[in-house]
Amino acid sequence: MKNSLIIALDFATKKEVIEFLKPFGSESLFLKVGMELFYQEGPAIIEELKASNHQIFLDLKLHDIPNTVNKAMRGLARLGCDLVNVHAAGGKEMMVAALEGLYAGTPAGNKRPKCIAVTQLTSTSQQQMQTEQLVPVSIEKSVLHYASIAQQSGLDGVVCSTWESKKIQHSLGNAFLTVTPGIRIRTDDAQDQKRVATPEIARAEGVSAIVVGRPITKANDPFQNYHTFKKAWEGVLQ
């Protein structure tokens, strides 16, 4: 899990996913399946990707009453994903219930999926947070607070931006995962992301794992772009 580059599969159908993965051959990847793909293709897409020896981050950002999240996680645990997530805004009781559901649903002899909490989306600016969510503190303070209650709930880490990672790990320890979207090469368009960073900066900030979607999936040469990001993330000189 640590030092992983996770590719966000920004596709709606299995056909698009298969086409995207063709150039990678038998290379084992860490893939993020989000709402767009999972809601169209269902659990079968997870089973197929796992059968091809890929690690899976199932990114559904569960946020509901504790009982509902617990039962949902029991079912998701049976899919064999490596990483799942919830919204930290759901609170401690919900996060504890999520973890209990994962333990209960994981088949005997298997490791439960790691569970992380979304703090503030990397598409959220401080102004948005303060005016729309009515959170009066800085975005950094909000993220650190959510990270703290996620750890108190027993979760394995959080989704945050690169810019909060170092302070989270300083406060909560290096074993607490920081998974960061919003990763762009310097020439990339930030698109709808607000708190972006390059792979090199993410590495310097001690990020546990980066998530890269459209800069790879929508590139003219996704295979080449993936390896460009991977080298930058791993600190390999070009």
Side-chain angles (χ1 to χ4, degrees):
M1 174 73 231
K2 284 251 183 178
N3 304 317
S4 296
L5 191 168
I6 303 170
I7 304 174
L9 295 177
D10 298 317
F11 305 110
T13 67
K14 183 175 80 169
K15 181 180 178 182
E16 291 173 279
V17 171
I18 290 171
E19 194 63 32
F20 168 75
L21 291 175
K22 274 182 183 176
F24 294 90
S26 60
E27 186 172 355
S28 180
L29 304 168
F30 206 138
L31 304 172
K32 180 172 84 71
V33 173
M35 288 181 268
E36 180 185 13
L37 181 58
F38 190 78
Y39 292 162
Q40 304 304 315
E41 296 290 346
I45 191 67
I46 304 296
E47 293 165 7
E48 188 160 334
L49 293 171
K50 289 297 291 184
S52 297
N53 202 33
H54 299 304
Q55 295 183 78
I56 302 297
F57 171 18
L58 182 56
D59 176 26
L60 299 182
K61 303 181 181 73
L62 300 188
H63 186 177
D64 212 314
I65 63 172
N67 184 60
T68 297
V69 170
N70 176 281
K71 289 180 177 178
M73 283 300 193
R74 283 173 183 249
L76 295 179
R78 292 194 287 270
L79 299 180
C81 296
D82 302 275
L83 183 65
V84 295
N85 63 357
V86 298
H87 263 292
K92 287 183 186 178
E93 188 180 350
M94 187 205 74
M95 287 190 276
V96 169
L99 205 57
E100 289 172 349
L102 286 175
Y103 275 116
T106 299
N110 291 4
K111 285 185 179 179
R112 71 155 175 87
K114 290 189 181 298
C115 186
I116 58 178
V118 176
T119 53
Q120 291 287 351
L121 298 173
T122 49
S123 60
T124 301
S125 67
Q126 182 162 295
Q127 183 183 11
Q128 276 180 292
M129 183 193 75
Q130 293 177 343
T131 60
E132 296 176 17
Q133 299 177 28
L134 295 182
V135 175
V137 299
S138 69
I139 200 160
E140 181 182 272
K141 195 165 185 178
S142 174
V143 169
L144 288 170
H145 173 67
Y146 277 140
S148 178
I149 64 171
Q151 188 181 60
Q152 291 167 33
S153 304
L155 268 58
D156 301 291
V158 289
V159 180
C160 61
S161 86
T162 294
W163 306 106
E164 297 101 30
S165 178
K166 191 171 281 187
K167 288 195 176 180
I168 289 171
Q169 293 188 336
H170 178 74
S171 298
L172 305 178
N174 291 333
F176 193 68
L177 300 173
T178 53
V179 179
T180 67
I183 302 298
R184 298 289 187 269
I185 296 292
R186 293 186 189 280
T187 55
D188 286 340
D189 179 359
Q191 296 164 314
D192 56 354
Q193 298 281 14
K194 303 291 194 304
R195 289 153 35 240
V196 301
T198 65
E200 293 91 341
I201 291 173
R203 183 169 176 267
E205 291 294 312
V207 166
S208 305
I210 59 173
V211 180
V212 186
R214 288 165 289 182
I216 291 174
T217 59
K218 305 303 182 188
N220 291 330
D221 187 342
F223 180 82
Q224 180 61 45
N225 262 34
Y226 167 73
H227 285 285
T228 297
F229 271 92
K230 194 167 187 288
K231 287 176 183 176
W233 168 235
E234 293 173 352
V236 176
L237 295 176
Q238 300 291 323

